[in-house]
Amino acid sequence: MTKIVLGHAARVATAVFATSAIATPAHAHLIGTRFGDFYAGAFHPLTDLNDVLLWLALGLLAGSLEGERSRWLVLLFPLGLACGFALSTSAGISFGGNATNATLISALGLTLAAGTRITAPLLGIVGFSLGVTRGIANAAAVETATNLTLFGAGLACAGYATITLLMALVMVFRRTEAGDTTAWRGIALRALGGWIAAIGLMMVGFTYAGSGSA
C-alpha cells in the first residue's frame, strides 16, 4: 500500500514539475511583453540629454516657487507628455530639433538663475507645453511592435514622478532658508540655473556649428 501511495505521489510530483517547467517561461515571457514597453517609456527620457536637462530645469524652477504656484505642474506636465505622445503616434506630428530644445533649456535655466517669480498660470502653460514637445520627441522611439498605451503610460508616470520629486527636494532645500547665514541656498539654486543655461547655450552653438560645417 505504501509503495502504491509513493508511486502515485511521485507521478503527481513529476506532472506538476513538468507543467511548471512549461508554464514558467511562458508566464515570464508574458510579463516581459506586457510590462516591458511600460518600463521602456519610463526610462527612455534618461537616454536623451534634452529630456534630462529640460525636466531638471523645469522641476528646479517649479520647486523654487511657492507650493501654491507650482502644485498644478505635477498634473499638467505628465498630461502634456501623454498628449504629445498621442499626437505624434496618431497624427505623425513632429516638433523642432536640437536648436529648439537647446534654446528651451537656456530659457528655463536663465529664468531660474534670475530668480524670476513667474505666475502659476504661466508656469502651468510652460509645463504643459514643454510636456507636449517632449512627448512628441519620445514618440520617435516607438517601434512597430511597441504597445503604445504602455509606453505612453510609462512616459507620463516618469514625468509625474520626476517633477514631483524635484519640486519636493528643492522646497525642502529652501525651507531652511531663514536668514543671511543660510542665504547661500538660494544662491546655489540660481547658480545651478546659470549652469543649465550655459549648457543650453553651448548646445545651441554646437548645433549651428555642426550644421554649418555640413
Side-chain angles (χ1 to χ4, degrees):
M1 182 67 179
T2 304
K3 291 183 179 180
I4 295 176
V5 173
L6 291 176
H8 179 70
R11 287 193 295 270
V12 172
T14 302
V16 171
F17 178 79
T19 303
S20 300
I22 295 173
T24 301
H27 183 65
H29 177 70
L30 182 61
I31 292 176
T33 302
R34 293 288 185 181
F35 296 101
D37 291 330
F38 177 86
Y39 293 116
F43 289 105
H44 182 264
L46 294 176
T47 65
D48 191 332
L49 183 61
N50 292 312
D51 274 314
V52 173
L53 291 176
L54 284 169
W55 293 28
L56 175 64
L58 181 63
L60 293 177
L61 177 61
S64 68
L65 305 173
E66 292 85 1
E68 291 75 11
R69 294 191 187 189
S70 56
R71 60 185 177 183
W72 288 105
L73 189 65
V74 300
L75 297 178
L76 290 174
F77 181 67
L79 179 61
L81 287 172
C83 290
F85 181 80
L87 285 173
S88 182
T89 54
S90 61
I93 296 175
S94 59
F95 173 82
N98 292 329
T100 302
N101 293 320
T103 302
L104 291 173
I105 293 170
S106 298
L108 288 175
L110 288 173
T111 303
L112 178 61
T116 305
R117 313 296 290 180
I118 63 177
T119 62
L122 180 57
L123 179 64
I125 292 172
V126 170
F128 180 80
S129 302
L130 185 61
V132 171
T133 63
R134 297 320 301 165
I136 293 173
N138 278 271
V142 170
E143 300 177 352
T144 304
T146 301
N147 186 309
L148 299 181
T149 302
L150 289 176
F151 191 99
L155 179 64
C157 288
Y160 172 81
T162 301
I163 292 299
T164 302
L165 180 61
L166 285 173
M167 287 173 54
L169 289 174
V170 174
M171 288 179 181
V172 171
F173 180 73
R174 288 181 60 87
R175 190 169 297 168
T176 56
E177 186 176 352
D180 295 336
T181 58
T182 55
W184 64 271
R185 298 176 185 272
I187 297 174
L189 192 60
R190 291 188 181 188
L192 185 56
W195 279 104
I196 293 175
I199 293 173
L201 290 174
M202 286 191 293
M203 292 172 66
V204 172
F206 290 147
T207 300
Y208 284 112
S211 60
S213 61

